[in-house]
Amino acid sequence: MAEPAARPHPRTQLDDNFASPIRFSLMATLGDGMELDFMALREILQCGDSPLSKAIRHLQAAEYVSARKGTVGGRSRTWVRSTAAGRDAFAAHLQALREIVALGGEQRL
């Protein structure tokens, strides 16, 4: 009698789009469709303009966030919001992390 196939390790469900601490933190900050401007995100995430811009562009390319530009008081501003696809992907990534942690407790030597 053949053994049932082993379930793939939960790490296979991790999303590489969240491998960067800034991208991970950005998605966590945006939560359920919350929209924040670039300056607020920079302050919350405590990072520079360039790393934040790169993180936003990366997540936009993955269609996990959307960004819109506008002006306030004559100054150009950018607002960022998570998409439904981004929220779903982030929730799945978090679930995979939880499963990895749970496996650690099950597999004691």
Side-chain angles (χ1 to χ4, degrees):
M1 185 169 174
E3 284 187 40
R7 184 169 173 246
H9 192 279
R11 77 173 177 284
T12 62
Q13 301 303 309
L14 292 174
D15 188 326
D16 288 342
N17 289 300
F18 307 124
S20 154
I22 293 175
R23 294 191 306 254
F24 182 91
S25 299
L26 176 60
M27 286 303 294
T29 300
L30 292 175
D32 269 341
M34 178 185 296
E35 184 176 67
L36 292 171
D37 74 352
F38 187 90
M39 291 183 348
L41 287 169
R42 184 183 63 199
E43 185 175 314
I44 291 166
L45 299 177
Q46 301 175 356
C47 65
D49 290 355
S50 179
L52 181 55
S53 291
K54 288 176 185 176
I56 292 169
R57 280 194 307 275
H58 182 98
L59 293 171
Q60 274 184 293
E63 299 182 354
Y64 287 175
V65 301
S66 62
R68 66 179 179 87
K69 296 187 182 283
T71 56
V72 175
R75 293 187 59 145
S76 181
R77 303 275 295 267
T78 301
W79 291 271
V80 182
R81 168 187 303 268
S82 62
T83 64
R87 290 188 298 275
D88 289 347
F90 190 66
H93 185 81
L94 291 176
Q95 182 58 37
L97 290 171
R98 286 184 196 99
E99 290 177 23
I100 291 167
V101 171
L103 278 177
E106 293 174 8
Q107 299 180 355
R108 302 277 180 207
L109 295 179

